[in-house]
């Protein structure tokens, strides 16, 4: 295990800047996710840590050592790619052994023991003699993971390793990654565009936007207290509604463009024009409640829940409800939310 420090990393391709002065301190043994949309710079940043891309400016340190100019094989890291990159002519065991051979780690007996331990860690010891083509996608993914951890690297880098799996396998592998990280304690940097993966796997999430750190924090913190409109909309897909906070009869209220009002927490200090962030799952809809009136446009059945698309003060918004709440298209109902769950954003 080792800590990783990124100091004011800048990266440009020709004259196009893709990373803008990014600094991060990653603790030894921490599982950190770089989260963001395609093109935000997360994979470029991971490749810089790996030594597969150089920096335009800045410094990379691993375990207190400046590795900015070192090639990948000198950094004591392992990287698992989205494509897995297994060698089709080699057995599972030989694929896992490959990095040990290339780096000259141990004799043949020691390498065999390391391979056995790595395959047991990913629960594939019984398939050591098979070829990659004889494995399912989930099994190939585990072989690639075993190959990444077999040399006991100081830092493990994962570039969207679950994106090629179907939904059920992806859920299973999320659990596998959590348990393997708990057992091995490797410092891990995980790249994903999937907020659920980032929130479920990580000790800390770093949300990137156009080559900059938009927000970072523990999963619960970044989900429940988004700092910007972008963070609120990307993490959890909040409804973002323009409003003006004014003093009401019983405390501060948010007033929408059509004059309707929504009660806020009594300790809300902001006044003036703001953006409200309302999580879809925090909203409740009822025909006989007081509160702002919304008009139902359509219902999307999601199995355990319904998603209602509706209109409030000319703005489209969405709410997730239990699937036994059935509302007709065109119905006008009241919207309610716990004031403590309303996020007020000024940006």
């Amino acid at each position: 295990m080792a800590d990783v420090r990124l100091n004011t990393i800048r990266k440009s391709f020709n004259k196009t800047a893709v990373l803008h002065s990014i600094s991060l301190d990653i603790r030894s043994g921490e599982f950190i996710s770089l989260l963001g949309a395609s093109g935000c710079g997360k994979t470029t940043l991971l490749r810089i840590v790996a030594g597969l891309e150089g920096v335009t400016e800045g410094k990379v340190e691993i375990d207190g050592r400046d590795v900015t100019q070192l090639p990948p094989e000198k950094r004591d890291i392992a990287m698992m790619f989205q494509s897995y990159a297994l060698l089709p002519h080699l057995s599972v065991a030989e694929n896992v052994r490959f990095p040990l051979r290339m780096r000259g780690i141990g004799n043949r007996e020691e390498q065999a023991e390391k391979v056995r331990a790595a395959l047991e860690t990913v629960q594939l010891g019984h398939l050591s003699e098979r070829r990659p083509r004889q494995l399912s996608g989930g099994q190939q993914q585990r072989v690639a993971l075993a190959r990444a951890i077999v040399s006991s690297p100081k830092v493990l880098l994962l570039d969207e390793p679950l994106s090629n799996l179907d939904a059920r396998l992806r859920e299973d592998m999320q659990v596998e990654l959590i348990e393997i990280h708990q057992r091995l304690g490797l410092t891990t940097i995980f790249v994903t565009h999937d907020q659920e993966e980032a929130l479920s796997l990580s000790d800390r999430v770093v949300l990137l936007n156009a080559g900059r750190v938009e927000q970072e924090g523990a999963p619960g913190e970044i989900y429940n207290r988004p700092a910007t409109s972008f963070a609120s909309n990307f993490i959890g897909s909040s409804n973002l509604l323009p409003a003006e906070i004014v003093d009401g009869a019983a405390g501060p209220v948010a007033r929408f463009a059509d004059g309707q009002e929504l009660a806020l927490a009594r300790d809300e200090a902001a006044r003036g024009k703001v953006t409200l962030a309302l999580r879809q799952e925090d909203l409740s809809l009822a025909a006989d409640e007081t509160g702002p009136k919304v008009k139902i446009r359509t219902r999307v059945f999601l199995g355990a829940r319904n998603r209602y698309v509706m209109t409030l003060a000319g703005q489209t918004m969405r709410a997730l409800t239990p699937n036994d709440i059935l509302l007709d298209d065109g119905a006008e109902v009241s919207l309610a939310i716990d004031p403590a769950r309303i996020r007020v954003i000024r940006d």
Side-chain angles (χ1 to χ4, degrees), residues 101-330:
R101 290 172 54 203
M102 292 299 99
R103 296 169 60 181
I105 298 175
N107 57 36
R108 190 171 185 85
E109 290 75 21
E110 291 169 336
Q111 290 175 359
E113 177 56 29
K114 287 180 179 292
V115 168
R116 185 200 63 76
L119 286 174
E120 288 300 324
T121 296
V122 298
Q123 302 179 45
L124 284 183
H126 61 296
L127 300 180
S128 62
E129 298 306 315
R130 291 194 182 180
R131 296 289 191 271
R133 66 178 179 275
Q134 298 173 298
L135 305 177
S136 68
Q139 290 169 336
Q140 290 182 30
Q141 200 261 6
R142 293 183 185 191
V143 174
L145 181 57
R147 185 180 57 189
I149 65 176
V150 70
S151 60
S152 301
K154 288 184 177 178
V155 181
L156 177 62
L157 308 177
L158 304 173
D159 186 10
E160 303 220 40
L162 310 183
S163 61
N164 291 333
L165 303 179
D166 61 37
R168 180 56 188 269
L169 274 177
R170 194 157 55 244
E171 289 181 6
D172 291 343
M173 284 310 306
Q174 287 174 12
V175 175
E176 290 277 351
L177 283 174
I178 291 170
E179 292 178 343
I180 288 172
H181 182 257
Q182 289 172 342
R183 289 200 299 272
L184 302 181
L186 290 174
T187 305
T188 302
I189 306 176
F190 180 89
V191 160
T192 183
H193 65 275
D194 188 310
Q195 58 160 308
E196 180 181 302
E197 286 182 0
L199 295 173
S200 63
L201 292 170
S202 311
D203 299 314
R204 183 159 49 113
V205 176
V206 178
L207 177 61
L208 297 178
N209 178 23
R212 293 180 171 85
V213 175
E214 185 80 12
Q215 187 175 352
E216 63 175 291
E221 175 187 350
I222 202 169
Y223 184 86
N224 290 314
R225 291 184 291 279
T228 66
S229 295
F230 178 87
S232 184
N233 196 40
F234 196 92
I235 308 281
S237 300
S238 290
N239 298 289
L240 300 178
L241 301 175
E244 182 177 8
I245 298 182
V246 298
D247 291 314
V253 297
R255 182 172 294 161
F256 300 107
D258 62 356
Q260 296 195 86
E261 295 178 347
L262 182 65
L264 300 175
R266 289 182 177 275
D267 60 355
E268 176 56 59
R271 293 294 184 275
K273 296 186 182 301
V274 299
T275 298
L276 300 186
L278 311 179
R279 297 280 186 206
Q280 296 183 40
E281 64 271 24
D282 290 337
L283 300 175
S284 61
L285 306 173
D288 56 353
E289 297 290 336
T290 60
K293 296 297 185 290
V294 297
K295 185 174 184 178
I296 303 297
R297 284 172 44 189
T298 191
R299 175 176 69 95
V300 181
F301 178 66
L302 301 174
R305 296 192 289 184
N306 292 321
R307 173 176 284 121
Y308 282 99
V309 182
M310 53 205 177
T311 303
L312 170 63
Q315 300 288 319
T316 297
M317 58 187 305
R318 294 166 174 81
L320 288 171
T321 71
N323 66 5
D324 59 349
I325 295 179
L326 300 178
L327 302 170
D328 295 329
D329 292 356

Side-chain angles (χ1 to χ4, degrees), residues 51-96:
L52 300 173
E53 294 283 356
V55 299
T56 302
E57 293 181 29
K59 185 167 65 172
V60 179
E61 295 180 5
I62 296 177
D63 206 18
R65 181 172 64 130
D66 186 348
V67 300
T68 312
Q69 303 303 322
L70 294 181
E73 64 270 19
K74 300 292 186 181
R75 298 192 179 199
D76 201 3
I77 56 94
M79 187 165 180
M80 181 176 167
F81 297 94
Q82 181 178 348
S83 63
Y84 310 152
L86 300 179
L87 300 171
H89 63 287
L90 296 181
S91 68
V92 165
E94 285 302 311
N95 264 282
V96 176

Side-chain angles (χ1 to χ4, degrees), residues 2-9 22-28 30 45 48-49 55 58-68 75 155 187 189 204:
D3 56 359
V4 177
R5 173 168 291 182
L6 306 180
N7 187 10
T8 58
I9 299 295
I22 289 182
S23 294
L24 287 173
D25 286 336
I26 302 168
R27 299 183 300 274
S28 179
E30 186 176 23
L45 187 59
I48 285 172
V49 177
V55 299
K59 185 167 65 172
V60 179
E61 295 180 5
I62 296 177
D63 206 18
R65 181 172 64 130
D66 186 348
V67 300
T68 312
R75 298 192 179 199
V155 181
T187 305
I189 306 176
R204 183 159 49 113

